[in-house]
Amino acid sequence: MKALILVGGYGTRLRPLTLSRPKPLVEFCNKPMLMHQIEALVHAGVNHVILAVSYRAEQMEQELKEEAEKLGILITFSHETMPLGTAGPLALAHELLNADCDPFFVLNSDIICDFPFKEMVAFHKSHRSEGTLVVTKVEEPSKYGVVVYDSNGRIEQFVEKPTEFVSNKINAGMYMFSPSILDRIELKPTSIEMEVFPNMAQDNQLFAMELHGFWMDVGQPKDFLTGMCLYLSSLRQKSPNLLHQSEGIVGNVLVDSSAKIGQNCRIGPNVSVGPEVVIEDGVCIKRCTILRGAKIRSHSWLESCIIGWNCTVGKWVRMENVTVLGEDVIVKDELYVNGGKVLPHKSIGSSVPDPQVIM
């Protein structure tokens, strides 16, 4: 079985982290975002993953080559010379996807959830139509384009930002298609959601499968942190042994075995601590991701932050409100940072009382 992952763009929504690494390689809960998807696909029987890329593919090729060998799968890169939207990449990878008659997966690369790939295969076989689209329930459907379908799952229509209630299910960015879909798509910039799906629904060829459990598009910092909380909560139910337990740990906390945590700290709830991180004495951290090699000096207080690779946060610092530090940022002692987005290799010498980008 094959899967095409739409890696695509420049990752602008997750800057400043994506100024140092392509977004699919940014670690989400101590594993590159993309590897959460690839490992789940392999578990469901996929042995060939095609990555539709247009940006900084060299770094990805290098890192993913090793991962492919470990997993015993083939990873192929399909290079876009210009942005092709969400359907064009299928036409570009036409020969690979059409090499046999088997259905294939297509995924958006920003999605994190309890991936239901085995269930998708069974559901797709059961309805024998061209496409399966996974849907997830949302609290405020008026913010989204919603999917309307009958009791069998056959999709009838898509309604963009409805003003009155028609459905509370939205497209979750995971699909399974039979190769015949490729006849609908030309090699040009095309939106699968706006230009392909409505025609498939009209032809009664598109079915919705409901996702159970959590779902999040983690492509921007605020949602990245929310997704982390949901993922850690899911881990608590499924694999509680993976969560860290020791003095000073509160709630769901993931800590790499090479990280060092000092005395009298309070870590959690909802914290992910990466490899080679050093947290000194008396530090309080909640609802944060701390990436590889970062150092948090004594008595600092962090809430709702993403601390980039090899950063140093000084003593008695307070940071909050979705502050994101790019790679190798230094925050001097006794400063307050409120919602700052700090570009890589900067040194912060004065407080940032209001949310802003620091260049």
Side-chain angles (χ1 to χ4, degrees):
M1 255 196 314
K2 298 186 189 73
L4 175 75
I5 303 180
L6 302 169
V7 173
Y10 294 99
T12 47
R13 295 186 303 154
L14 201 56
R15 284 181 180 167
L17 299 173
T18 48
L19 295 170
S20 299
R21 279 169 85 70
K23 183 165 57 174
L25 296 183
V26 171
E27 295 91 339
F28 175 87
C29 292
N30 292 350
K31 187 187 295 179
M33 278 197 220
L34 196 59
M35 291 313 301
H36 285 275
Q37 296 186 335
I38 289 176
E39 286 177 8
L41 286 165
V42 171
H43 188 62
V46 168
N47 54 14
H48 185 185
V49 175
I50 301 150
L51 300 179
V53 294
S54 61
Y55 165 66
R56 284 165 67 181
E58 308 76 28
Q59 195 177 350
M60 273 196 276
E61 287 191 38
Q62 235 173 340
E63 294 203 22
L64 293 172
K65 194 179 170 190
E66 293 168 28
E67 297 290 352
E69 283 169 13
K70 275 187 220 165
L71 292 168
I73 60 166
L74 178 63
I75 295 182
T76 306
F77 287 79
S78 177
H79 295 267
E80 299 174 25
T81 51
M82 63 173 184
L84 289 171
T86 47
L90 278 77
L92 188 63
H94 185 288
E95 284 184 24
L96 292 168
L97 296 171
N98 210 17
D100 49 42
C101 299
D102 293 340
F104 54 86
F105 293 100
V106 174
L107 314 179
N108 291 347
S109 67
D110 294 349
I111 302 305
I112 205 83
C113 65
D114 287 327
F115 295 108
F117 297 135
K118 285 183 178 173
E119 295 89 332
M120 286 172 73
V121 174
F123 181 74
H124 190 76
K125 281 179 181 167
S126 73
H127 65 64
R128 297 181 178 180
S129 293
E130 207 165 75
T132 294
L133 180 156
V134 177
V135 295
T136 185
K137 186 177 173 181
V138 290
E139 297 302 320
E140 293 181 63
S142 60
K143 285 183 180 175
Y144 302 90
V146 298
V147 185
V148 181
Y149 50 93
D150 66 18
S151 56
N152 297 318
R154 186 180 62 81
I155 293 175
E156 295 165 346
Q157 61 172 331
F158 298 87
V159 181
E160 196 57 39
K161 296 183 178 171
T163 49
E164 54 186 57
F165 185 87
V166 286
S167 167
N168 60 357
K169 305 294 195 306
I170 65 165
N171 177 351
M174 294 178 281
Y175 320 116
M176 185 160 221
F177 299 128
S178 300
S180 56
I181 191 179
L182 299 169
D183 299 334
R184 297 179 182 268
I185 303 167
E186 291 179 48
L187 183 52
K188 62 177 188 181
T190 314
S191 162
I192 202 164
E193 299 86 355
M194 311 298 279
E195 298 172 69
V196 180
F197 286 166
N199 295 332
M200 290 174 73
Q202 213 170 353
D203 298 341
N204 297 327
Q205 287 296 315
L206 191 56
F207 280 71
M209 186 189 105
E210 294 180 11
L211 176 69
H212 301 289
F214 80 99
W215 175 91
M216 200 72 208
D217 175 334
V218 294
Q220 54 190 354
K222 177 173 66 77
D223 299 333
F224 185 99
L225 290 170
T226 302
M228 175 195 69
C229 299
L230 295 169
Y231 177 84
L232 292 174
S233 171
S234 170
L235 216 52
R236 167 70 66 194
Q237 291 166 357
K238 292 183 162 184
S239 310
N241 55 309
L242 296 176
L243 295 170
H244 195 69
Q245 284 182 312
S246 68
E247 198 182 337
I249 299 293
V250 182
N252 301 331
V253 177
L254 197 60
V255 179
D256 186 88
S257 58
S258 63
K260 292 181 171 61
I261 299 176
Q263 302 293 307
N264 303 316
C265 290
R266 181 190 161 97
I267 312 294
N270 299 313
V271 173
S272 168
V273 179
E276 294 154 39
V277 166
V278 175
I279 297 171
E280 293 186 354
D281 298 348
V283 168
C284 178
I285 303 176
K286 40 190 168 176
R287 203 172 181 273
C288 291
T289 286
I290 317 291
L291 294 173
R292 178 188 290 274
K295 186 171 190 176
I296 315 296
R297 306 290 307 275
S298 53
H299 306 292
S300 283
W301 187 98
L302 280 63
E303 181 170 8
S304 294
C305 300
I306 303 174
I307 308 301
W309 309 272
N310 302 313
C311 286
T312 300
V313 175
K315 297 176 182 179
W316 297 99
V317 166
R318 181 183 177 107
M319 298 202 304
E320 60 187 344
N321 191 21
V322 198
T323 288
V324 185
L325 305 186
E327 183 183 15
D328 181 38
V329 166
I330 296 170
V331 179
K332 299 280 178 71
D333 295 350
E334 300 179 20
L335 298 182
Y336 172 57
V337 183
N338 173 28
K341 307 287 184 285
V342 187
L343 270 60
H345 314 297
K346 299 289 169 194
S347 180
I348 305 297
S350 55
S351 289
V352 181
D354 300 306
Q356 58 183 281
V357 175
I358 294 151
M359 302 170 78

